[in-house]
Amino acid sequence: MRKKIKRNIKNIIQTMLEAHNHVLELMKDRCIPDVNDILEQCQECAIHIGETIEKSEGTDVKAVFYLENYCEQLYRMSRTGEKKIIKNLKTQLDKSLHCVEYELDENISLDKQKIVFMPYKVSMWDCMESVWEAAVSDEKCEVYVVPIPYYEKDSEGNVIEFCYEGGEFPKYIPITPYNEFLLHIEQPDIVYIHNPYDGANYVTSVHPNYYSSNLKKYTDLLIYIPYFICGNGSMPETHLNLPAYQYIDYIIVQDKEKKKSLIDFMPEEKIIVIGSPKIDKILMLKNRNELVNKKIPQKWRKIISGKKVILFNVSISGILQKSKVALEKIRYVISTFKEKDNVVLLWRPHPLLEATLKSMRPDLYEEYMEIKNAFIKEGKGIFDETEDACIVAAMADAYLGESSSSLVHYFGALGKPVLYTEWEVLEEKQKNREFLDVQTFFREGDSLFFVPANAGMEHELYRLNLKQGKLEREISLPGTSNNLSQCYMGIKKIQNKIILAPNNVEDIYIYDLEKKRAIKIVLSESCNKLMLFDGAIEFEDKIFLLPQCYPAIVSIDSHLNVHEFKECIRPFLLNDKYDTIFSWAYLKKGIYLYLASAIESRIIKFNMENGNYEIKNLGEYQYGYGHMIYDGEYFWFAGYKENSIVRWNEESGDTEEYNFPISRERSKDKVWSLLINKGEEIAICDGFSLNMIFMNKKTGKCRNDKQIKKVLKKLEDRSEKNRAGFVAVDVLDEDRVLLIEWKSSTVNIWNMKKNQWEHIYCRRTKEEIFETERKQIEEYYISKSVPYSLSESVLSISQYIDYITSGNTKVFENVYECYHTNEDSISIGFNVHEIMSNIN
C-alpha cells in the first residue's frame, strides 16, 4: 500500500471516531435525523476504505472483515433508540476501527515510496545526483529520473527551439521518457526539481506541463534543489523571489544565511538548511582520480599531458553587461596562455551562452563564434562543452573567470586557486617582471650593493660586480615584507651595519652583518609613511638620512644613537604633509651637507659635525630643485619640474639661469633631470626619457651627441614603452660615471673621455620571480572571503599562471562551513533524502 493512501485512511478513521462522539451528543437532544445522517456518512467512509484496501491488498485482508463488521454494527445502531444499546455499540464501533488501524500498522506493508527527479538540463544534474543515489539505495523507494523538455527563447521572449536532453545523461542513470511518465496516473510521493523559473526565464522555459503550479497537483512534496552553489552570505538577489516558491513545499539551502534572506519570500518552515548536494559530487571526484581520468575525453589527454590546467569560465551575465570589451577580453586571455608552454587553457563558457548571444546579441554572436572556432582549430587549448562541470573542476588545477559563476565554489570546495577576472583589464599590468628596480645603492670596491625598489623585495640585498657584470643575491635580510614599492630610498653601510632609509615605510631598518640581527628604529614624528626620505650620505661614523617629506634630517652613528635635526627643516614645511619638500638635490662638501628645496629657491648648509646650519637664497627663481652637483668652483642646480639650470657661486651669492630644450610632449610635471660635470659642459640626463643634452658652462648653449643618442635609443628599446629615464648617477673616477636607467633596469658605465658605454642588465631569475611573487600572493593578495580568491586588479594573469605552474598552492585548501555541513562521511544528498522521505 502506498504511504499516502495509508495516511489518508488513518485520517478518515480519526474523523469517524470523532463522529462517534458527536452521535452521543446528538442522541441526548433526540436529534435523530442528524444521527442517521452521520451514521450514513460513517458507513460510506467505511465502504470507501474497504474498497481502497481491497484495490491495494486484495479481499483476503482482516481489515476488510473489521470494516464489514463495523457496517453491520452501524446498521443495528440505526435501528435502536435505546441509549444504553447505542453506548455499547459506540464502544464496539470504536473497537472495530482501532482493529482496522492495527491491521494497517502491523499487517499491511507499505509500498515503495515513489520519488521522481525532474531535471531539464543535464549540466545541472549534479545538484540532484547524490540525492538520487541515496534514494536508489533505499529499498523502500521506487525512483525515477524523468528529464523534462524545455524551450529556448529569442530576445523578444518568443519560443524558437524545442529541446530535450534525456539522451545526454550518463549511461548509469536509468532515464524514463517524459511522455511515458504520466503524472496524473503515477502521482509520485516526492518530486525534485532544479528549475524555479517556470516560464519567467528570459533564455529558456520548461514545458508548461512541468511548471511548479502543475507539478504540485500530482505530488505530496514538491522540492526545489538550487542548481548553483554560493559562498558565505545571503541568497543571490536574483533568486530571492521566483515563481516556483509559492508552490514548492521545501527548498534546500546551504546555510543559515541563505535561509535568513529567504524568510521574507516564503514561510520559514519551507526552508531546510542542509547544504548543497552539488558538493557531494565535487568531493567524491576529488578523492577518485581514476574516475576523473576515465571521464576525460581522449582527445584532451595529449594536450594536457604533463601540464597544469586552468579553467577559464565565461558567464552569460558578464558578456551581456560588458559587451563592449567582452570579446576583446576573451582574446586577451587566450593570447596570455599562448606564451606559456607548461599550462593549458580550458575554456568553459556557460552552457546557454551561445543560445543567449544568438537570441539577444546577434551582433556579438558571429564574432564570438570566430574566436571560438579559431581557438579550437589552433588545438593548443581545450574548448569544453561537456555537460558535467564537476569533472572539469576536479581535473583543472585552478579557476580563472568571474566571481558570479557557481563554478567558483566548486574550486572553493576543492581547495584550488581562484582568480577573479576584470573585464576592463586588457593588457598585462606587470610587464618585465624580471627587471630589478635599482634606485639607491652603496659601493665597496668594484661592487655595488642595493635593495631593489620592487614591491615585496625590500629585504633582498643584491651585489652587482661592476667589473664582471655579475649580479647575485647576497643575503635575504630578516623582516616582514610591507609589499610596497620603494620601501627604502637610501642604503649605506657604516662599519658592519647596513642602514636603510625609509621612504614608504615608517621605521629605519638596520642590519648587523656580524651578529646577523636586524632592528628597526621608530621615528619620533607621526607621519604619513609616504616619501619620508629619498637618500642617505655617510660622514665619519654617521649616516645622515635626507628628508623628502619627513620634517627632520636624521643622523645615526655606529652605536645606533639617533638624532633628529628639526629646526633647520621647519622653515620649509608645508601645510600639506604629502607634498615633497626636498627631492634628490643634495651633496656632501667637506663637513657640510648641502640640501636644496624642491619648492623654493633656497638651500640649507648643514654642518654635520655640530648640527649648525645656514639657510641661503639662490636668487629670486620661482621654483625649487631636483638635483645638484659641484664642479670645484660653482654649484649647479637642476630645476624641479623646470627645464632650467641655475649656477651658484657660494662666496658671492651670484646666480645665473640657463634653459635647455625639452620635447614638445613633455609637460613641466615630467621634467626632472640629473646633472653630470663633464669638464667645460654639464651633461643633463632626463629622468623621464632616455635623452642627454650637453650644455656649455660659459655660454649656456646646448647640443646633442649623435653617438650617445644611438646608444640611448638601443637602451630605450629595452625599457617599458614611454617610461624610460635616468634615476641615479654616481662618479666612479675622473673619466667614468655610473648612470642607472630605471625602466630598463640597467646599470650603465659611461667613459666620458672615450665616449664608450657599458650596460649591465639587472635581471631576476625565474626562480627569484616566482619566490617573491608567491610570498606576495599568499601574504597580501589572497582574499579570505569564501572561497579564498585572487583578483586581476592586483595580480596579472601571467603572474597567476606562473604561480599555478611553479608555486605551492596548498594555502587555498580550506573547508568552509557553508560548503561542508557534515563532519562525518554522510553525504548531503543522503541527509536530504532521509529528511524528505520521512516528512512524507
Side-chain angles (χ1 to χ4, degrees), residues 46-57:
I47 294 170
H48 171 72
I49 292 172
E51 290 174 347
T52 301
I53 293 174
E54 286 182 344
K55 185 177 180 181
S56 173
E57 307 296 318

Side-chain angles (χ1 to χ4, degrees), residues 105-169:
D105 290 335
E106 299 299 325
N107 296 319
I108 297 180
S109 60
L110 286 174
D111 287 345
K112 291 184 176 182
Q113 198 173 38
K114 190 173 290 188
I115 301 175
V116 59
F117 295 83
M118 290 190 155
Y120 83 109
K121 288 196 69 64
V122 67
S123 61
M124 299 175 182
W125 166 247
D126 57 5
C127 73
M128 294 181 167
E129 185 160 347
S130 65
V131 184
W132 169 77
E133 288 174 345
V136 167
S137 63
D138 188 343
E139 295 180 354
K140 302 188 294 295
C141 297
E142 181 182 341
V143 184
Y144 299 86
V145 178
V146 183
I148 58 178
Y150 67 96
Y151 299 99
E152 290 185 351
K153 299 179 179 180
D154 62 16
S155 57
E156 302 298 321
N158 301 311
V159 170
I160 58 173
E161 187 175 353
F162 176 85
C163 304
Y164 175 67
E165 299 186 5
E168 299 175 30
F169 280 73

